[in-house]
PDB file of all heavy atoms in Angstrom:
ATOM      1  N   ALA K 114     100.777  82.454  61.814  1.00 98.00           N
ATOM      2  CA  ALA K 114     101.635  83.556  62.284  1.00 98.00           C
ATOM      3  C   ALA K 114     101.246  84.869  61.617  1.00 98.00           C
ATOM      4  O   ALA K 114     101.160  85.912  62.282  1.00 98.00           O
ATOM      5  CB  ALA K 114     103.104  83.217  62.014  1.00 98.00           C
ATOM      6  N   ASN K 115     101.018  84.832  60.305  1.00 97.00           N
ATOM      7  CA  ASN K 115     100.639  86.057  59.598  1.00 97.00           C
ATOM      8  C   ASN K 115      99.287  86.589  60.072  1.00 97.00           C
ATOM      9  O   ASN K 115      99.130  87.790  60.303  1.00 97.00           O
ATOM     10  CB  ASN K 115     100.562  85.785  58.088  1.00 97.00           C
ATOM     11  CG  ASN K 115     101.926  85.856  57.410  1.00 97.00           C
ATOM     12  OD1 ASN K 115     102.865  86.443  57.938  1.00 97.00           O
ATOM     13  ND2 ASN K 115     102.029  85.265  56.232  1.00 97.00           N
ATOM     14  N   ILE K 116      98.335  85.693  60.200  1.00 97.00           N
ATOM     15  CA  ILE K 116      96.980  86.126  60.561  1.00 97.00           C
ATOM     16  C   ILE K 116      96.950  86.630  62.004  1.00 97.00           C
ATOM     17  O   ILE K 116      96.319  87.645  62.310  1.00 97.00           O
ATOM     18  CB  ILE K 116      95.976  84.973  60.341  1.00 97.00           C
ATOM     19  CG1 ILE K 116      95.873  84.673  58.838  1.00 97.00           C
ATOM     20  CG2 ILE K 116      94.605  85.299  60.930  1.00 97.00           C
ATOM     21  CD1 ILE K 116      95.315  83.304  58.505  1.00 97.00           C
ATOM     22  N   ALA K 117      97.673  85.942  62.891  1.00 98.00           N
ATOM     23  CA  ALA K 117      97.741  86.412  64.278  1.00 98.00           C
ATOM     24  C   ALA K 117      98.331  87.817  64.324  1.00 98.00           C
ATOM     25  O   ALA K 117      97.814  88.697  65.036  1.00 98.00           O
ATOM     26  CB  ALA K 117      98.575  85.445  65.123  1.00 98.00           C
ATOM     27  N   ALA K 118      99.394  88.047  63.556  1.00 97.00           N
ATOM     28  CA  ALA K 118     100.015  89.380  63.542  1.00 97.00           C
ATOM     29  C   ALA K 118      99.035  90.427  63.023  1.00 97.00           C
ATOM     30  O   ALA K 118      98.908  91.521  63.583  1.00 97.00           O
ATOM     31  CB  ALA K 118     101.285  89.350  62.697  1.00 97.00           C
ATOM     32  N   ALA K 119      98.335  90.089  61.964  1.00 96.00           N
ATOM     33  CA  ALA K 119      97.371  91.043  61.398  1.00 96.00           C
ATOM     34  C   ALA K 119      96.249  91.340  62.385  1.00 96.00           C
ATOM     35  O   ALA K 119      95.673  92.425  62.375  1.00 96.00           O
ATOM     36  CB  ALA K 119      96.803  90.498  60.088  1.00 96.00           C
ATOM     37  N   ARG K 120      95.939  90.394  63.260  1.00 97.00           N
ATOM     38  CA  ARG K 120      94.852  90.585  64.229  1.00 97.00           C
ATOM     39  C   ARG K 120      95.367  91.067  65.591  1.00 97.00           C
ATOM     40  O   ARG K 120      94.605  91.134  66.554  1.00 97.00           O
ATOM     41  CB  ARG K 120      94.074  89.268  64.389  1.00 97.00           C
ATOM     42  CG  ARG K 120      93.335  88.883  63.102  1.00 97.00           C
ATOM     43  CD  ARG K 120      92.511  87.619  63.248  1.00 97.00           C
ATOM     44  NE  ARG K 120      91.838  87.319  61.981  1.00 97.00           N
ATOM     45  CZ  ARG K 120      90.978  86.326  61.798  1.00 97.00           C
ATOM     46  NH1 ARG K 120      90.661  85.542  62.819  1.00 97.00           N
ATOM     47  NH2 ARG K 120      90.419  86.113  60.619  1.00 97.00           N
ATOM     48  N   GLY K 121      96.660  91.344  65.659  1.00 97.00           N
ATOM     49  CA  GLY K 121      97.208  91.899  66.894  1.00 97.00           C
ATOM     50  C   GLY K 121      97.374  90.887  68.008  1.00 97.00           C
ATOM     51  O   GLY K 121      97.400  91.260  69.188  1.00 97.00           O
ATOM     52  N   VAL K 122      97.502  89.616  67.664  1.00 98.00           N
ATOM     53  CA  VAL K 122      97.651  88.562  68.672  1.00 98.00           C
ATOM     54  C   VAL K 122      99.107  88.099  68.728  1.00 98.00           C
ATOM     55  O   VAL K 122      99.685  87.738  67.707  1.00 98.00           O
ATOM     56  CB  VAL K 122      96.730  87.359  68.346  1.00 98.00           C
ATOM     57  CG1 VAL K 122      97.007  86.196  69.291  1.00 98.00           C
ATOM     58  CG2 VAL K 122      95.269  87.785  68.395  1.00 98.00           C
ATOM     59  N   THR K 123      99.683  88.138  69.918  1.00 98.00           N
ATOM     60  CA  THR K 123     101.032  87.608  70.108  1.00 98.00           C
ATOM     61  C   THR K 123     100.951  86.112  70.368  1.00 98.00           C
ATOM     62  O   THR K 123     100.231  85.663  71.262  1.00 98.00           O
ATOM     63  CB  THR K 123     101.710  88.295  71.309  1.00 98.00           C
ATOM     64  OG1 THR K 123     101.856  89.690  71.021  1.00 98.00           O
ATOM     65  CG2 THR K 123     103.090  87.690  71.572  1.00 98.00           C
ATOM     66  N   LEU K 124     101.682  85.345  69.574  1.00 98.00           N
ATOM     67  CA  LEU K 124     101.718  83.890  69.752  1.00 98.00           C
ATOM     68  C   LEU K 124     102.851  83.511  70.685  1.00 98.00           C
ATOM     69  O   LEU K 124     103.947  84.072  70.620  1.00 98.00           O
ATOM     70  CB  LEU K 124     101.934  83.198  68.406  1.00 98.00           C
ATOM     71  CG  LEU K 124     100.815  83.379  67.378  1.00 98.00           C
ATOM     72  CD1 LEU K 124     101.228  82.779  66.030  1.00 98.00           C
ATOM     73  CD2 LEU K 124      99.505  82.752  67.867  1.00 98.00           C
ATOM     74  N   HIS K 125     102.579  82.527  71.546  1.00 98.00           N
ATOM     75  CA  HIS K 125     103.640  81.989  72.400  1.00 98.00           C
ATOM     76  C   HIS K 125     104.160  80.661  71.855  1.00 98.00           C
ATOM     77  O   HIS K 125     105.343  80.352  71.974  1.00 98.00           O
ATOM     78  CB  HIS K 125     103.121  81.783  73.829  1.00 98.00           C
ATOM     79  CG  HIS K 125     102.585  83.039  74.452  1.00 98.00           C
ATOM     80  ND1 HIS K 125     103.235  84.259  74.340  1.00 98.00           N
ATOM     81  CD2 HIS K 125     101.450  83.271  75.162  1.00 98.00           C
ATOM     82  CE1 HIS K 125     102.528  85.187  74.988  1.00 98.00           C
ATOM     83  NE2 HIS K 125     101.447  84.631  75.481  1.00 98.00           N
TER      84      HIS K 125
END
Side-chain angles (χ1 to χ4, degrees):
Chain K
N115 277 340
I116 293 160
R120 294 182 180 184
V122 173
T123 297
L124 296 173
H125 302 317

